[in-house]
Amino acid sequence: MLRADAVRLLLLVPLTLWGLACQTDPGPEEGPSEQEFRVVELDDVTLTPGQTLNVKILVLSTKGDKDPPPVELSVEGLPQFATLEADTLRLAPGAEDLGESQVRVIATARKLRASEEFLIRVIRSNKAPELWEPFLADEDGFWLATTPQPVVRGFPFIKSSLRDEDGDATRLFAEVVPEGTAFSGVPTHQTDWVRASYWNTNFQLTGLPAGQRLRVYVWGVDERGAVSNRRDIPGLLYSPRPPRPSREDWRTCGTQPVDVSSNAQHCGECEHSCLGSTCAQGLCAPSQLTGPLLERPTGLAVDAGFVYWSGLSNTMDEAPPWGLYRIPKAGGHAELMARRESSAVIIDGDYAYLASGSVARVPLRGGAVEHLFDVGSPLRLQGERLYWVRNQWFRGQLESSAKVPGSTPETLGTYVGLVLAMHTDAQGVYLGTDRGEVLQYRFESNSLEGVASGLTQVNGLATDEQFVYVAYGPSECSSCPSLCFAYRSLRCFVTSKLVRIPRAGGTPEELAQVSGAANTLTVEGEFLYWSHDGRVGDLPLTEGSVMRMPKAGGAPRVLVDGFSGMRSLAFDAHSVYGYAPEQGVFRAPK
């Protein structure tokens, strides 16, 4: 096949050279033995729109005639983009000329006639697909950068994007080999074919050998055989989390020796009661209040009798319905109170306040949902006022309004950066930014002031009478640089530091390093609580935990385990409540 711009020769040559059969129409003047000729067999022609090709037709005497008869050329089936000019076929297809044309070249000399057919094929150009940098992810949406060497506890998913400008069907391949093994191009995993100019890939790396450093080669192909650029994931280690050990743990509680691995009154440590549930392996068994009802739970709250939760939907007709739910603390039937998307839920008196671009309140005793005003996010309530922030291209403002209908929002102060954490107490509103700053709006002075700076991205805030507690760590962009453009819609797995800072300002005191963003950081009594989805260096795949540690410092301990994907925690006097997407609402002694 001829694909480049060129000149092509169609020759009429002696039969003894080519060994071709004759095709003649003899007349009375000359016999076929004296004037035999034929067109040489032609190859098919393939070219793309925008290319030009000149096909030159040369006529040679077949018998060495001193006075050969004149030869006339004609063409049958010639497409519109082709012309015959004397002895030259000129081909110049455009984008609208895709397809095939069967062409017949005819040579005539007096009553002699010879012909040959060939195919002119116009195809579009084929650009190789482009593969974006792949990441590892779990079922709950956490992403883990592929460098440095990642450790996974379950079989991870490969997530990437494959772009094919031609819109061809494409598929993604992965070859998993021991680290140090060269790429062979023999896939161990692959996706189905997908026809799209741009699509997000997602397939699981099953069957990984445990305890061995692996390299994953990832590439894509299109249906026409074009191969994308290749991406590598180096040093992947699949290390399944071992089961929690079942062993006795004897300690002296008061004056009595107690096995805190199984004692329901001293579970995991002295004086930690399971409040009627059992104790195994040092953990109180949580009470399951309801199964999963929302794929994307975003808010959780409690009052004296109920647990409330809210969520966002992926589709407007999601079933079961998204919105605001509640269930009695003692267990029972989950009730849908309002079908309204919400990124937060706040319970105050007779109302639940919901926020997702606007604030609405739902009467807890039943009634219509009331729209209050448009707001930013997150939303907090302190006393009789609601507080929120508006992040606008790396700067924003703190706003507030009374919590009743008809109130007018007001701006309290401006800041630089994006607010990722927010907390309120009786003294003020606290903001944590992606620039590593902690700010406080002081109610007594009506001013927004700095509490700390020089940290990295602040994800969690809590306070007590003396300190501001901060969870901060590497930003998602530094951990997963290719995801920066997506801001927080993609959750990249990070580790964080827990520190405390005097309310008046001062040097942060490090309390612990923890896994995950710890954006559920909460102070309850003498303890700090937070949730996370793995251990340091892990990709969360199989288990998630509620953690607790003394707020003065000490060793963090697991309070609840086995609930992946927790995004919100709520507390009452004796219990911690959480929501995990795959398990639903649970309660455990705090």
Side-chain angles (χ1 to χ4, degrees), residues 218-254:
V218 186
W219 72 100
V221 299
D222 68 16
E223 60 186 326
R224 302 173 65 196
V227 181
S228 76
N229 55 313
R230 196 190 76 209
R231 302 281 192 171
D232 298 356
I233 302 176
L236 174 66
L237 178 64
Y238 169 54
S239 179
R241 179 179 288 130
R244 186 177 296 278
S246 298
R247 61 173 180 266
E248 295 181 349
D249 185 3
W250 290 91
R251 304 184 191 181
T252 301
C253 297

mmCIF file of all heavy atoms in Angstrom, residues 218-254:
data_model
loop_
_atom_site.group_PDB
_atom_site.id
_atom_site.type_symbol
_atom_site.label_atom_id
_atom_site.label_comp_id
_atom_site.label_asym_id
_atom_site.label_seq_id
_atom_site.Cartn_x
_atom_site.Cartn_y
_atom_site.Cartn_z
ATOM 1 N N VAL A 218 1.383 0.422 32.543
ATOM 2 C CA VAL A 218 0.017 0.718 32.108
ATOM 3 C C VAL A 218 0.084 1.400 30.743
ATOM 4 O O VAL A 218 0.878 2.320 30.539
ATOM 5 C CB VAL A 218 -0.705 1.638 33.115
ATOM 6 C CG1 VAL A 218 -2.167 1.819 32.719
ATOM 7 C CG2 VAL A 218 -0.607 1.071 34.529
ATOM 8 N N TRP A 219 -0.749 0.955 29.811
ATOM 9 C CA TRP A 219 -0.807 1.573 28.493
ATOM 10 C C TRP A 219 -2.176 1.333 27.873
ATOM 11 O O TRP A 219 -2.948 0.505 28.346
ATOM 12 C CB TRP A 219 0.300 1.042 27.577
ATOM 13 C CG TRP A 219 0.116 -0.372 27.105
ATOM 14 C CD1 TRP A 219 -0.358 -0.780 25.887
ATOM 15 C CD2 TRP A 219 0.416 -1.578 27.833
ATOM 16 N NE1 TRP A 219 -0.375 -2.147 25.802
ATOM 17 C CE2 TRP A 219 0.098 -2.675 26.985
ATOM 18 C CE3 TRP A 219 0.906 -1.849 29.113
ATOM 19 C CZ2 TRP A 219 0.254 -3.998 27.387
ATOM 20 C CZ3 TRP A 219 1.060 -3.164 29.510
ATOM 21 C CH2 TRP A 219 0.747 -4.220 28.652
ATOM 22 N N GLY A 220 -2.477 2.069 26.821
ATOM 23 C CA GLY A 220 -3.755 1.927 26.139
ATOM 24 C C GLY A 220 -3.550 1.693 24.660
ATOM 25 O O GLY A 220 -2.499 2.019 24.096
ATOM 26 N N VAL A 221 -4.547 1.146 24.001
ATOM 27 C CA VAL A 221 -4.536 0.957 22.555
ATOM 28 C C VAL A 221 -5.915 1.339 22.025
ATOM 29 O O VAL A 221 -6.906 1.311 22.758
ATOM 30 C CB VAL A 221 -4.204 -0.495 22.147
ATOM 31 C CG1 VAL A 221 -2.829 -0.900 22.629
ATOM 32 C CG2 VAL A 221 -5.257 -1.465 22.670
ATOM 33 N N ASP A 222 -5.966 1.707 20.741
ATOM 34 C CA ASP A 222 -7.259 1.932 20.126
ATOM 35 C C ASP A 222 -7.576 0.783 19.170
ATOM 36 O O ASP A 222 -6.747 -0.091 18.923
ATOM 37 C CB ASP A 222 -7.340 3.294 19.439
ATOM 38 C CG ASP A 222 -6.458 3.412 18.200
ATOM 39 O OD1 ASP A 222 -6.015 2.381 17.672
ATOM 40 O OD2 ASP A 222 -6.217 4.545 17.750
ATOM 41 N N GLU A 223 -8.782 0.787 18.649
ATOM 42 C CA GLU A 223 -9.253 -0.325 17.833
ATOM 43 C C GLU A 223 -8.491 -0.467 16.527
ATOM 44 O O GLU A 223 -8.555 -1.507 15.877
ATOM 45 C CB GLU A 223 -10.737 -0.149 17.546
ATOM 46 C CG GLU A 223 -11.074 1.124 16.797
ATOM 47 C CD GLU A 223 -12.571 1.318 16.658
ATOM 48 O OE1 GLU A 223 -13.280 0.300 16.530
ATOM 49 O OE2 GLU A 223 -13.033 2.478 16.706
ATOM 50 N N ARG A 224 -7.743 0.578 16.139
ATOM 51 C CA ARG A 224 -6.984 0.519 14.900
ATOM 52 C C ARG A 224 -5.519 0.202 15.142
ATOM 53 O O ARG A 224 -4.696 0.282 14.241
ATOM 54 C CB ARG A 224 -7.143 1.825 14.144
ATOM 55 C CG ARG A 224 -8.619 2.146 13.832
ATOM 56 C CD ARG A 224 -8.795 3.513 13.240
ATOM 57 N NE ARG A 224 -8.168 3.610 11.943
ATOM 58 C CZ ARG A 224 -7.899 4.770 11.332
ATOM 59 N NH1 ARG A 224 -8.196 5.902 11.952
ATOM 60 N NH2 ARG A 224 -7.351 4.787 10.142
ATOM 61 N N GLY A 225 -5.207 -0.142 16.400
ATOM 62 C CA GLY A 225 -3.870 -0.623 16.715
ATOM 63 C C GLY A 225 -2.897 0.415 17.204
ATOM 64 O O GLY A 225 -1.750 0.077 17.519
ATOM 65 N N ALA A 226 -3.300 1.703 17.279
ATOM 66 C CA ALA A 226 -2.391 2.733 17.771
ATOM 67 C C ALA A 226 -2.200 2.571 19.280
ATOM 68 O O ALA A 226 -3.156 2.343 20.019
ATOM 69 C CB ALA A 226 -2.920 4.122 17.445
ATOM 70 N N VAL A 227 -0.968 2.700 19.736
ATOM 71 C CA VAL A 227 -0.619 2.462 21.136
ATOM 72 C C VAL A 227 -0.321 3.798 21.806
ATOM 73 O O VAL A 227 0.386 4.648 21.248
ATOM 74 C CB VAL A 227 0.602 1.535 21.247
ATOM 75 C CG1 VAL A 227 0.948 1.262 22.708
ATOM 76 C CG2 VAL A 227 0.330 0.220 20.517
ATOM 77 N N SER A 228 -0.844 3.979 23.001
ATOM 78 C CA SER A 228 -0.628 5.220 23.746
ATOM 79 C C SER A 228 0.770 5.244 24.348
ATOM 80 O O SER A 228 1.536 4.274 24.281
ATOM 81 C CB SER A 228 -1.667 5.344 24.861
ATOM 82 O OG SER A 228 -1.332 4.479 25.934
ATOM 83 N N ASN A 229 1.076 6.363 24.971
ATOM 84 C CA ASN A 229 2.244 6.430 25.828
ATOM 85 C C ASN A 229 2.071 5.462 26.995
ATOM 86 O O ASN A 229 0.959 5.112 27.373
ATOM 87 C CB ASN A 229 2.435 7.854 26.349
ATOM 88 C CG ASN A 229 1.196 8.386 27.047
ATOM 89 O OD1 ASN A 229 0.082 8.267 26.535
ATOM 90 N ND2 ASN A 229 1.373 8.969 28.222
ATOM 91 N N ARG A 230 3.171 5.032 27.569
ATOM 92 C CA ARG A 230 3.120 4.083 28.687
ATOM 93 C C ARG A 230 3.426 4.802 29.993
ATOM 94 O O ARG A 230 4.262 5.686 30.040
ATOM 95 C CB ARG A 230 4.136 2.960 28.454
ATOM 96 C CG ARG A 230 3.917 1.731 29.344
ATOM 97 C CD ARG A 230 5.091 0.780 29.242
ATOM 98 N NE ARG A 230 6.241 1.267 29.982
ATOM 99 C CZ ARG A 230 7.505 0.997 29.660
ATOM 100 N NH1 ARG A 230 7.784 0.294 28.584
ATOM 101 N NH2 ARG A 230 8.502 1.480 30.385
ATOM 102 N N ARG A 231 2.742 4.384 31.040
ATOM 103 C CA ARG A 231 2.988 4.919 32.383
ATOM 104 C C ARG A 231 3.369 3.767 33.307
ATOM 105 O O ARG A 231 2.853 2.659 33.168
ATOM 106 C CB ARG A 231 1.737 5.615 32.929
ATOM 107 C CG ARG A 231 1.213 6.750 32.062
ATOM 108 C CD ARG A 231 1.998 8.006 32.248
ATOM 109 N NE ARG A 231 1.343 9.159 31.639
ATOM 110 C CZ ARG A 231 1.727 10.408 31.799
ATOM 111 N NH1 ARG A 231 2.770 10.674 32.581
ATOM 112 N NH2 ARG A 231 1.097 11.409 31.209
ATOM 113 N N ASP A 232 4.223 4.057 34.282
ATOM 114 C CA ASP A 232 4.691 3.024 35.206
ATOM 115 C C ASP A 232 4.318 3.386 36.634
ATOM 116 O O ASP A 232 4.341 4.565 37.025
ATOM 117 C CB ASP A 232 6.212 2.861 35.136
ATOM 118 C CG ASP A 232 6.690 2.424 33.763
ATOM 119 O OD1 ASP A 232 5.831 2.181 32.895
ATOM 120 O OD2 ASP A 232 7.911 2.343 33.562
ATOM 121 N N ILE A 233 3.966 2.386 37.411
ATOM 122 C CA ILE A 233 3.775 2.524 38.858
ATOM 123 C C ILE A 233 4.858 1.679 39.517
ATOM 124 O O ILE A 233 4.787 0.450 39.506
ATOM 125 C CB ILE A 233 2.383 2.049 39.292
ATOM 126 C CG1 ILE A 233 1.298 2.840 38.568
ATOM 127 C CG2 ILE A 233 2.221 2.189 40.806
ATOM 128 C CD1 ILE A 233 -0.103 2.373 38.871
ATOM 129 N N PRO A 234 5.891 2.301 40.075
ATOM 130 C CA PRO A 234 7.011 1.524 40.624
ATOM 131 C C PRO A 234 6.800 1.150 42.077
ATOM 132 O O PRO A 234 6.136 1.849 42.846
ATOM 133 C CB PRO A 234 8.180 2.497 40.479
ATOM 134 C CG PRO A 234 7.557 3.850 40.643
ATOM 135 C CD PRO A 234 6.167 3.753 40.067
ATOM 136 N N GLY A 235 7.379 0.040 42.457
ATOM 137 C CA GLY A 235 7.518 -0.317 43.866
ATOM 138 C C GLY A 235 6.257 -0.642 44.612
ATOM 139 O O GLY A 235 6.217 -0.546 45.842
ATOM 140 N N LEU A 236 5.186 -1.035 43.927
ATOM 141 C CA LEU A 236 3.930 -1.363 44.608
ATOM 142 C C LEU A 236 4.111 -2.601 45.487
ATOM 143 O O LEU A 236 4.676 -3.607 45.057
ATOM 144 C CB LEU A 236 2.836 -1.617 43.567
ATOM 145 C CG LEU A 236 1.485 -2.104 44.098
ATOM 146 C CD1 LEU A 236 0.826 -1.022 44.931
ATOM 147 C CD2 LEU A 236 0.583 -2.519 42.943
ATOM 148 N N LEU A 237 3.640 -2.508 46.714
ATOM 149 C CA LEU A 237 3.724 -3.639 47.645
ATOM 150 C C LEU A 237 2.326 -3.981 48.138
ATOM 151 O O LEU A 237 1.647 -3.140 48.744
ATOM 152 C CB LEU A 237 4.618 -3.298 48.839
ATOM 153 C CG LEU A 237 4.757 -4.389 49.913
ATOM 154 C CD1 LEU A 237 5.438 -5.632 49.337
ATOM 155 C CD2 LEU A 237 5.542 -3.874 51.126
ATOM 156 N N TYR A 238 1.896 -5.201 47.853
ATOM 157 C CA TYR A 238 0.618 -5.688 48.371
ATOM 158 C C TYR A 238 0.899 -6.439 49.668
ATOM 159 O O TYR A 238 1.553 -7.479 49.678
ATOM 160 C CB TYR A 238 -0.054 -6.598 47.353
ATOM 161 C CG TYR A 238 -1.241 -7.367 47.894
ATOM 162 C CD1 TYR A 238 -2.290 -6.704 48.521
ATOM 163 C CD2 TYR A 238 -1.314 -8.748 47.772
ATOM 164 C CE1 TYR A 238 -3.374 -7.407 49.019
ATOM 165 C CE2 TYR A 238 -2.389 -9.461 48.260
ATOM 166 C CZ TYR A 238 -3.420 -8.783 48.884
ATOM 167 O OH TYR A 238 -4.493 -9.474 49.383
ATOM 168 N N SER A 239 0.412 -5.879 50.771
ATOM 169 C CA SER A 239 0.668 -6.453 52.089
ATOM 170 C C SER A 239 -0.652 -6.519 52.846
ATOM 171 O O SER A 239 -1.060 -5.553 53.494
ATOM 172 C CB SER A 239 1.676 -5.596 52.860
ATOM 173 O OG SER A 239 1.926 -6.112 54.150
ATOM 174 N N PRO A 240 -1.384 -7.631 52.741
ATOM 175 C CA PRO A 240 -2.695 -7.724 53.396
ATOM 176 C C PRO A 240 -2.594 -7.454 54.888
ATOM 177 O O PRO A 240 -1.645 -7.895 55.547
ATOM 178 C CB PRO A 240 -3.130 -9.166 53.120
ATOM 179 C CG PRO A 240 -2.322 -9.592 51.939
ATOM 180 C CD PRO A 240 -1.012 -8.870 52.055
ATOM 181 N N ARG A 241 -3.558 -6.720 55.405
ATOM 182 C CA ARG A 241 -3.567 -6.438 56.838
ATOM 183 C C ARG A 241 -3.796 -7.729 57.603
ATOM 184 O O ARG A 241 -4.765 -8.445 57.360
ATOM 185 C CB ARG A 241 -4.671 -5.429 57.173
ATOM 186 C CG ARG A 241 -4.762 -5.097 58.660
ATOM 187 C CD ARG A 241 -5.839 -4.077 58.929
ATOM 188 N NE ARG A 241 -5.416 -2.766 58.454
ATOM 189 C CZ ARG A 241 -6.154 -1.985 57.690
ATOM 190 N NH1 ARG A 241 -7.330 -2.390 57.299
ATOM 191 N NH2 ARG A 241 -5.723 -0.803 57.311
ATOM 192 N N PRO A 242 -2.921 -8.050 58.533
ATOM 193 C CA PRO A 242 -3.125 -9.277 59.306
ATOM 194 C C PRO A 242 -4.321 -9.139 60.226
ATOM 195 O O PRO A 242 -4.705 -8.028 60.608
ATOM 196 C CB PRO A 242 -1.820 -9.412 60.112
ATOM 197 C CG PRO A 242 -1.305 -8.013 60.225
ATOM 198 C CD PRO A 242 -1.705 -7.325 58.945
ATOM 199 N N PRO A 243 -4.968 -10.227 60.561
ATOM 200 C CA PRO A 243 -6.109 -10.147 61.483
ATOM 201 C C PRO A 243 -5.663 -9.651 62.852
ATOM 202 O O PRO A 243 -4.516 -9.846 63.259
ATOM 203 C CB PRO A 243 -6.607 -11.600 61.548
ATOM 204 C CG PRO A 243 -5.430 -12.433 61.148
ATOM 205 C CD PRO A 243 -4.664 -11.618 60.156
ATOM 206 N N ARG A 244 -6.576 -8.953 63.521
ATOM 207 C CA ARG A 244 -6.262 -8.461 64.861
ATOM 208 C C ARG A 244 -5.952 -9.648 65.767
ATOM 209 O O ARG A 244 -6.709 -10.619 65.826
ATOM 210 C CB ARG A 244 -7.434 -7.659 65.413
ATOM 211 C CG ARG A 244 -7.155 -6.985 66.752
ATOM 212 C CD ARG A 244 -8.353 -6.166 67.182
ATOM 213 N NE ARG A 244 -8.580 -5.077 66.239
ATOM 214 C CZ ARG A 244 -7.922 -3.922 66.272
ATOM 215 N NH1 ARG A 244 -6.990 -3.724 67.190
ATOM 216 N NH2 ARG A 244 -8.202 -2.975 65.408
ATOM 217 N N PRO A 245 -4.824 -9.617 66.445
ATOM 218 C CA PRO A 245 -4.440 -10.779 67.246
ATOM 219 C C PRO A 245 -5.421 -11.031 68.392
ATOM 220 O O PRO A 245 -5.932 -10.099 69.011
ATOM 221 C CB PRO A 245 -3.054 -10.401 67.779
ATOM 222 C CG PRO A 245 -3.016 -8.900 67.731
ATOM 223 C CD PRO A 245 -3.846 -8.516 66.550
ATOM 224 N N SER A 246 -5.682 -12.287 68.641
ATOM 225 C CA SER A 246 -6.535 -12.691 69.758
ATOM 226 C C SER A 246 -5.636 -13.206 70.872
ATOM 227 O O SER A 246 -5.191 -14.352 70.865
ATOM 228 C CB SER A 246 -7.520 -13.784 69.323
ATOM 229 O OG SER A 246 -8.382 -13.314 68.326
ATOM 230 N N ARG A 247 -5.328 -12.315 71.781
ATOM 231 C CA ARG A 247 -4.494 -12.724 72.908
ATOM 232 C C ARG A 247 -4.932 -11.971 74.155
ATOM 233 O O ARG A 247 -5.500 -10.881 74.075
ATOM 234 C CB ARG A 247 -3.013 -12.466 72.614
ATOM 235 C CG ARG A 247 -2.662 -11.014 72.357
ATOM 236 C CD ARG A 247 -1.154 -10.827 72.245
ATOM 237 N NE ARG A 247 -0.810 -9.442 71.989
ATOM 238 C CZ ARG A 247 -0.614 -8.920 70.799
ATOM 239 N NH1 ARG A 247 -0.769 -9.681 69.725
ATOM 240 N NH2 ARG A 247 -0.289 -7.652 70.674
ATOM 241 N N GLU A 248 -4.668 -12.558 75.279
ATOM 242 C CA GLU A 248 -5.043 -11.934 76.548
ATOM 243 C C GLU A 248 -4.162 -10.724 76.827
ATOM 244 O O GLU A 248 -3.017 -10.643 76.394
ATOM 245 C CB GLU A 248 -4.906 -12.952 77.682
ATOM 246 C CG GLU A 248 -5.871 -14.120 77.557
ATOM 247 C CD GLU A 248 -5.726 -15.100 78.705
ATOM 248 O OE1 GLU A 248 -4.735 -14.958 79.470
ATOM 249 O OE2 GLU A 248 -6.574 -15.984 78.846
ATOM 250 N N ASP A 249 -4.752 -9.754 77.507
ATOM 251 C CA ASP A 249 -4.031 -8.518 77.856
ATOM 252 C C ASP A 249 -4.401 -8.169 79.293
ATOM 253 O O ASP A 249 -5.362 -7.455 79.566
ATOM 254 C CB ASP A 249 -4.425 -7.400 76.898
ATOM 255 C CG ASP A 249 -3.622 -6.114 77.140
ATOM 256 O OD1 ASP A 249 -2.734 -6.118 78.013
ATOM 257 O OD2 ASP A 249 -3.899 -5.109 76.448
ATOM 258 N N TRP A 250 -3.619 -8.694 80.221
ATOM 259 C CA TRP A 250 -3.925 -8.538 81.652
ATOM 260 C C TRP A 250 -3.344 -7.235 82.181
ATOM 261 O O TRP A 250 -2.192 -6.910 81.948
ATOM 262 C CB TRP A 250 -3.386 -9.712 82.455
ATOM 263 C CG TRP A 250 -4.144 -10.981 82.196
ATOM 264 C CD1 TRP A 250 -3.873 -11.926 81.270
ATOM 265 C CD2 TRP A 250 -5.317 -11.398 82.883
ATOM 266 N NE1 TRP A 250 -4.802 -12.919 81.310
ATOM 267 C CE2 TRP A 250 -5.711 -12.637 82.302
ATOM 268 C CE3 TRP A 250 -6.089 -10.875 83.932
ATOM 269 C CZ2 TRP A 250 -6.819 -13.336 82.734
ATOM 270 C CZ3 TRP A 250 -7.191 -11.571 84.365
ATOM 271 C CH2 TRP A 250 -7.555 -12.787 83.768
ATOM 272 N N ARG A 251 -4.205 -6.476 82.864
ATOM 273 C CA ARG A 251 -3.777 -5.242 83.503
ATOM 274 C C ARG A 251 -4.428 -5.147 84.880
ATOM 275 O O ARG A 251 -5.426 -5.816 85.153
ATOM 276 C CB ARG A 251 -4.156 -4.005 82.661
ATOM 277 C CG ARG A 251 -3.623 -4.045 81.243
ATOM 278 C CD ARG A 251 -3.941 -2.781 80.480
ATOM 279 N NE ARG A 251 -3.668 -2.925 79.065
ATOM 280 C CZ ARG A 251 -3.836 -1.967 78.160
ATOM 281 N NH1 ARG A 251 -4.286 -0.776 78.554
ATOM 282 N NH2 ARG A 251 -3.577 -2.170 76.888
ATOM 283 N N THR A 252 -3.888 -4.278 85.715
ATOM 284 C CA THR A 252 -4.471 -4.052 87.032
ATOM 285 C C THR A 252 -5.393 -2.858 86.965
ATOM 286 O O THR A 252 -4.959 -1.725 86.715
ATOM 287 C CB THR A 252 -3.382 -3.816 88.089
ATOM 288 O OG1 THR A 252 -2.521 -4.949 88.132
ATOM 289 C CG2 THR A 252 -4.001 -3.577 89.452
ATOM 290 N N CYS A 253 -6.687 -3.103 87.126
ATOM 291 C CA CYS A 253 -7.688 -2.046 87.115
ATOM 292 C C CYS A 253 -8.197 -1.899 88.543
ATOM 293 O O CYS A 253 -8.897 -2.791 89.062
ATOM 294 C CB CYS A 253 -8.828 -2.380 86.167
ATOM 295 S SG CYS A 253 -8.311 -2.504 84.427
ATOM 296 N N GLY A 254 -7.842 -0.787 89.166
ATOM 297 C CA GLY A 254 -8.108 -0.658 90.602
ATOM 298 C C GLY A 254 -7.128 -1.549 91.339
ATOM 299 O O GLY A 254 -5.913 -1.351 91.271
#
